[in-house]
Amino acid sequence: MNLDFTRIEIPELIIMAAAGLAVLLFGYRIKKIGFFIIWFLLGLNLTVYLLPWINSMVPQIAGNSLWQSLLPIAGGLLLGLLGFSIEKLCLGGIVFVLAMLITVQYFGSDIQTLAIGGVIGIVLAGVAVMMMKPAIIVATAITGAYALTSCILKWGAGNIDAATFYFPILIGLSIVGAIFQFATSKGVD
């Protein structure tokens, strides 16, 4: 099990919590902004996971705390700008990448695990594109819940067992966010 939330620093955590809450509750209403925020969060998380590799390739970055804080934010901004424009591709990509992030974070990065996660991600992405509004609501709720779950587990690092409570917190927040969005987005296109 690969639940290492210690790599996320406080500035990224604050940004991630605020963006996650906005997307969790208002993802469909702020669709374009929501897509930017989701891709920003995905880029931030991806850059955090790649930081050890980046640090080994460029040792000057490893010793500089400013770069350690700015690189994940820059990675988030780059991916956020990319995901801002194309709605269907963006939704399919969100669902696929979110499935892969959850797969890697909770089940590990063995090749078989990645293959199974990839197949599930592709199937879920295809279903999401066919059902745009409900899929956007569910995808934004899950993404917001993912960000908030990461923050909750990081802030409660000594008191909350991530292996036990990761999925209950993720699913609970996802359900609350989806219900809230469905209730508040009736008649909104």
Side-chain angles (χ1 to χ4, degrees):
M1 190 171 312
N2 186 12
L3 292 173
D4 184 14
F5 296 103
T6 58
R7 292 184 268 185
I8 302 172
E9 297 296 327
I10 297 299
E12 294 93 358
L13 201 61
I14 292 169
I15 292 169
M16 201 160 107
L21 187 61
V23 172
L24 174 73
L25 298 176
F26 306 107
Y28 189 76
R29 287 188 167 277
I30 58 171
K31 209 178 339 181
K32 291 282 189 183
I33 296 168
F35 283 155
F36 174 82
I37 292 171
I38 288 170
W39 281 102
F40 173 83
L41 290 172
L42 294 173
L44 185 128
N45 276 299
L46 180 63
T47 307
V48 166
Y49 283 115
L50 292 176
L51 265 179
W53 178 77
I54 294 169
N55 289 340
S56 69
M57 299 301 282
V58 185
Q60 296 84 355
I61 292 175
N64 190 327
S65 62
L66 178 65
W67 281 109
Q68 295 296 307
S69 294
L70 289 180
L71 277 177
I73 294 169
L77 286 172
L78 286 173
L79 214 52
L81 291 172
L82 177 71
F84 182 73
S85 59
I86 307 169
E87 192 170 287
K88 286 185 180 182
L89 180 63
C90 190
L91 177 62
I94 288 169
V95 172
F96 176 78
V97 171
L98 188 59
M100 292 307 293
L101 274 174
I102 291 171
T103 299
V104 167
Q105 191 167 26
Y106 197 75
F107 299 108
S109 58
D110 297 338
I111 193 70
Q112 291 171 329
T113 305
L114 291 176
I116 292 169
V119 169
I120 291 170
I122 289 169
V123 169
L124 290 176
V127 170
V129 170
M130 290 190 293
M131 303 171 45
M132 283 301 281
K133 182 176 180 175
I136 290 171
I137 290 173
V138 171
T140 56
I142 292 171
T143 304
Y146 173 81
L148 288 175
T149 300
S150 298
C151 293
I152 290 167
L153 293 175
K154 170 69 175 181
W155 279 323
N159 303 324
I160 300 174
D161 180 27
T164 304
F165 291 105
Y166 177 78
F167 273 119
I169 294 171
L170 178 72
I171 292 168
L173 287 173
S174 297
I175 290 170
V176 168
I179 289 171
F180 183 84
Q181 285 191 57
F182 277 116
T184 61
S185 68
K186 291 179 182 169
V188 176
D189 286 327

